[in-house]
Amino acid sequence: GQQVMQIPQYQHVQEGEDFTTYCNSSTTLSNIQWYKQRPGGHPVFLIQLVKSGEVKKQKRLTFQFGEAKKNSSLHITATQTTDVGTYFCAGPYSGGSNYKLTFGKGTLLTVNP
Amino acid sequence: NAGVTQTPKFRVLKTGQSMTLLCAQDMNHEYMYWYRQDPGMGLRLIHYSVGEGTTAKGEVPDGYNVSRLKKQNFLLGLESAAPSQTSVYFCASSSSTAGQPQHFGDGTRLSIL
């Protein structure tokens, strides 16, 4: 079945350092979504990428969708303590059901002030 | 605007007991989902519904049943709880437009002793 892999599983940084998490799918994706979950909270939608090679920015966050639409990345510039949480990527289920998502296991980011 | 509301927020059960988790959404979304989240496992889909009166199995459906009698509500039942079902359960909903993000509730933390 479809697999969505994320690396690294954990990342600890000093405040001000950059952070990147990578997402790889075993199948081509029609789109990819990114979610953030704060400790003790619930996943919150951040962004969706649809086009091959697409790059989107949200303030200090930069999201990329690979040319082959099988991988994606999230880069945070100059991390802040408010960036702490788990970042998940998710792609539509490969069985043709665009309303079901396969989530990666997430990358837990901790930031030392 | 409540979004997705889950009840209860916490519950402790004994092995063999039954219970129902309730999810309600006020966004008129067609699709609703139940996930479980365990450490290091990410979000795994239990059951989902694409409309009132319909349900379907997800990735890990065994030991759970669901019902969607009303469009705004999606119930998750545990008929005979087992310690392996100790987890955090999230309900989510999304519109029927392809690729739309999922909106999550705050979660139910369930412990089975």
Side-chain angles (χ1 to χ4, degrees), chain A residues 9-28:
Chain A
Q9 189 175 2
Y10 308 98
Q11 184 77 59
H12 178 75
V13 300
Q14 290 292 126
E15 190 171 21
E17 291 182 339
D18 291 357
F19 159 77
T20 304
T21 175
Y22 300 91
C23 180
N24 293 286
S25 171
S26 58
T27 59
T28 301

Side-chain angles (χ1 to χ4, degrees), chain A residues 91-110:
Chain A
Y93 191 69
S94 63
S97 304
N98 203 40
Y99 43 80
K100 285 196 301 179
L101 296 176
T102 300
F103 283 83
K105 292 185 178 180
T107 296
L108 173 60
L109 171 65
T110 56

